Amino acid sequence: MKALVAVKRVVDYNVKVRVKSDQTGVDIANVKMSMNPFDEIAVEEAVRLKEKGVITEVIVVSCGVTQCQETLRTAMAIGADRGILVETTEELQPLAVAKLLKALADKEQPSLVILGKQAIDDDCNQTGQMLAALADWPQATFASKVEMLDAHALITREVDGGLETLKLTLPAVITTDLRLNEPRYVTLPNIMKAKKKQLDIFKPEDLGVDVKPRIKTLKVSEPPKRSAGIKVADVAALVDKLKNEAKVI
C-alpha cells in the first residue's frame, strides 16, 4: 500500500512577510523558506502509518521551482522513501496542483493521498478537495485522527459542533489538521540518508497537464494599520464614541 504526500515550499512561519513595493506579490528574496507546517504533519502521519506496517511506501511530491528539492529532502529525512518534483517556474494555483497530483496518482496508484489542509502562504484550502473531485475518490478534510481498517480508513475530523467520524473506502484523499500529530525532530543522520534517496524530476508537460494560471492577481497590499485604543470615562462616553465616531450603533 502506497501513500502519496504533497508538500509545499513556503515562507517560514516565523518570518514577517513584506509586500513588494509594486504590490505584485510578497517579497521572498533572501527570505527563509521551509515546508508548509500542515504538510509536515501529513508527512509525519504517513511515516507513522508506515512504522505501524499499514503503509509500505511513502512518496512525497512537490510542485514548483528547483529549490523545492530541499523541501523534499526534508520530507525524506522525516521518513519518506522517495520524492517526486514537478518542476516549473509558473505560478501554481490550487487547480493546477490538483491536476498534477491526479496525474501522479494515476501513475503511482497510491491507496492514500495525504495533504495539509491548507498552505500558510495563500490559505486556499482547495487542493485536496479539487483532487478528490478530479479523481472521484472519497475525501476527509481537517483530519485530527487517522485509523486504517483493511480496505477502509476511519477518519476523525473537527467540525463546528465537535467531532465527526468518517469511514472512507480506499483509495482516498485526506487533509490534515494541526491536532493530528506533532512532527518529529529531524536528526543529522537522517538528513544525510535523505541525500541518497531517489528523487525523480518531471515537467508538467511530461504529465500532460496545463498549469497556466486561471486567476490573475491584481494587487497585493498590507492590511491597514490599526489605531491605538482609548479609554473612556463612563458608559455614556462609550456609547457616544460608538455612535458618533465608530458609527456602529
Side-chain angles (χ1 to χ4, degrees), residues 156-178:
T156 302
R157 59 190 299 269
E158 298 185 2
V159 294
D160 290 342
L163 299 176
E164 179 182 59
T165 302
L166 301 176
K167 186 178 182 181
L168 307 182
T169 304
L170 301 181
V173 177
I174 299 171
T175 70
T176 60
D177 209 343
L178 276 176

Side-chain angles (χ1 to χ4, degrees), residues 123-192:
D123 275 335
C124 280
N125 179 22
Q126 295 173 345
T127 307
Q129 292 90 326
M130 288 177 170
L131 172 60
L134 290 171
D136 195 23
W137 287 1
Q139 62 174 308
T141 55
F142 316 122
S144 58
K145 187 177 180 182
V146 176
E147 295 176 89
M148 303 301 293
L149 305 169
D150 299 323
H152 297 86
L154 206 62
I155 310 299
T156 302
R157 59 190 299 269
E158 298 185 2
V159 294
D160 290 342
L163 299 176
E164 179 182 59
T165 302
L166 301 176
K167 186 178 182 181
L168 307 182
T169 304
L170 301 181
V173 177
I174 299 171
T175 70
T176 60
D177 209 343
L178 276 176
R179 280 164 287 280
L180 178 58
N181 62 52
E182 185 175 338
R184 69 194 67 189
Y185 179 76
V186 179
T187 61
L188 182 59
N190 286 337
I191 292 172
M192 301 306 292

